[in-house]
């Protein structure tokens, strides 16, 4: 059987690529695509996840990236055309990566986050030149701090960094709704489902296989060094439509969507608040011109209508993953009752 990537693979010079992680939503898709294109792919991780198996032919090294000595022992004197780091989240981890990979690679790719872009945004679409500022979410501020460390190393030590900022990237195992499987359960049970805000803010969802097209196209490209790139789908949808697409995929013709202000949800649930106020409650539309200029064949081709069907089908086939969150059930009951009655939510 001929791989659908075969024509493209024939035109790509094989590169040596190290992926730090390799089993997450984004990194697993990147590993699969890089291997399919004929690159020499090595994955470095602790070997503790079997959720997304590594493709045949990919070399696997086991080491804890937080333990520099174990990484140096695993890598020896090897050098790579590109190193992609999916698991650095704080500035001290970014600084450690500089020390580990300086002199080992022609390109170090740091996976940042589109949530680092200015929130709320003062203009759309969001570009790579959009300021980085997120006063709501520590995760995003840490990613910004990582970028500052890495770009300083680029300016001062010629460290070959490229920054990639994905937005909400998913595969079949990830439900985009705030409540996850609990929201699917509520739809099928005929219970009201809570939607943050008025449901009209715009959101961009990118399938991991689409993301991998642009991402792998960046690897080993010297003109990408010192640059940052957004890689997302060009499709954007209001949250109301996203919830309805999940409902349709779950066999529910018309779910009962109850809108609750993001600030109210955040006050009632400190766990959910930072992500809501720092990301999901704001409209995000991205301009992918820059990545398309460097990787001309990059186009996201999987619409979220198809993605939602894929996700629900996977969960239906994997009952062990159908985890009902009772805390979220209780929160939804309390806040939707309040929203429909106009009364102050108890404890919120």
């Amino acid at each position: 059987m001929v791989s659908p990537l075969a024509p493209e693979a024939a035109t790509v010079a094989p590169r040596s690529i190290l992926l730090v992680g390799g089993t997450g939503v984004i990194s697993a898709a990147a590993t699969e695509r890089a291997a399919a294109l004929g690159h020499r792919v090595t994955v470095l991780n602790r070997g503790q996840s079997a959720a997304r198996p590594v493709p045949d032919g990919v070399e696997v090294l086991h080491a804890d990236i937080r333990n520099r000595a174990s990484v140096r022992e695993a890598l020896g004197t090897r050098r790579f055309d590109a190193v992609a780091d999916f698991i650095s989240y704080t500035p001290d981890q970014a600084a450690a990566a500089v020390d580990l990979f300086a002199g080992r690679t022609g390109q170090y790719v740091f996976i940042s986050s589109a949530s680092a872009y200015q929130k709320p945004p003062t203009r759309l679409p969001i570009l790579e030149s959009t300021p980085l500022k997120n006063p709501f979410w520590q995760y995003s501020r840490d990613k910004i701090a990582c970028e500052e460390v890495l770009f300083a190393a680029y300016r001062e030590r010629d460290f070959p960094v490229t920054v990639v900022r994905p937005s909400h990237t998913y595969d079949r195992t990830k439900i985009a709704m705030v409540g996850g499987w609990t929201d699917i359960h509520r739809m099928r049970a005929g219970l009201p489902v809570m939607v943050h805000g008025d449901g009209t803010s715009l959101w961009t969802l990118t399938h991991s296989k689409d993301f991998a097209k642009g991402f792998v196209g960046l690897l080993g490209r010297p003109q990408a060094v010192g640059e940052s790139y957004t890689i997302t789908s060009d499709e954007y949808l209001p949250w109301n439509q996203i919830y309805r697409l999940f409902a349709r995929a779950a066999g529910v013709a018309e779910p009962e969507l109850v809108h609750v202000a993001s600030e109210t949800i955040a006050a009632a649930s400190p766990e959910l608040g930072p992500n809501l106020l720092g990301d999901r409650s704001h409209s995000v539309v991205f301009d992918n011109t820059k990545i398309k200029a460097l990787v001309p064949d990059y186009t996201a081709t999987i619409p979220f209508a198809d993605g939602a069907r894929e996700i629900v089908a996977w969960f239906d086939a994997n009952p062990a993953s159908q985890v009902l969150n009772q805390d979220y059930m209780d929160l939804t009951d309390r806040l939707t009752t309040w929203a429909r009655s106009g009364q102050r939510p108890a404890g919120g």
Side-chain angles (χ1 to χ4, degrees), residues 218-234:
L218 281 176
L219 300 181
R221 302 289 291 274
Q223 59 268 58
V225 170
E227 299 284 349
S228 61
Y229 295 88
T230 303
I231 305 178
T232 72
S233 172
D234 291 321

Side-chain angles (χ1 to χ4, degrees), residues 26 84-86 88 109-113 143 162-164 166 211 215:
I26 293 177
D85 183 353
F86 295 88
S88 285
V109 183
F110 172 67
I111 289 70
S112 184
S113 169
K143 286 290 190 179
T162 299
V163 167
V164 171
F211 175 87
F215 183 79

Side-chain angles (χ1 to χ4, degrees), residues 32-112:
E32 181 179 355
R33 182 167 181 85
L37 288 174
H39 295 303
R40 299 184 297 276
V41 182
T42 301
V43 167
L44 177 75
N45 59 41
R46 295 179 297 172
Q48 296 183 351
S49 174
R52 300 173 183 87
V54 174
D56 292 341
V58 171
E59 179 186 28
V60 179
L61 300 177
H62 290 150
D64 184 349
I65 194 64
R66 308 295 174 232
N67 184 327
R68 300 186 206 185
S70 72
V71 175
R72 291 191 175 103
E73 181 179 356
L75 295 180
T77 60
R78 296 175 62 176
R79 196 177 188 282
F80 300 89
D81 294 318
V83 171
D85 183 353
F86 295 88
I87 55 175
S88 285
Y89 302 101
T90 61
D92 61 315
Q93 292 170 359
V98 173
D99 290 338
L100 272 174
F101 296 114
R104 288 187 180 271
T105 183
Q107 181 193 33
Y108 168 86
V109 183
F110 172 67
I111 289 70
S112 184

Side-chain angles (χ1 to χ4, degrees), residues 233-258:
S233 172
D234 291 321
E235 179 185 53
Y236 47 89
L237 298 167
W239 277 106
N240 284 335
Q241 179 68 359
I242 292 168
Y243 276 72
R244 290 191 174 104
L245 287 173
F246 272 115
R248 184 184 306 169
V252 179
E254 190 57 45
E256 182 182 358
L257 304 182
V258 177

Side-chain angles (χ1 to χ4, degrees), residues 266-278:
S269 174
E271 178 184 356
L272 297 176
N275 176 264
L276 277 178
L277 300 182

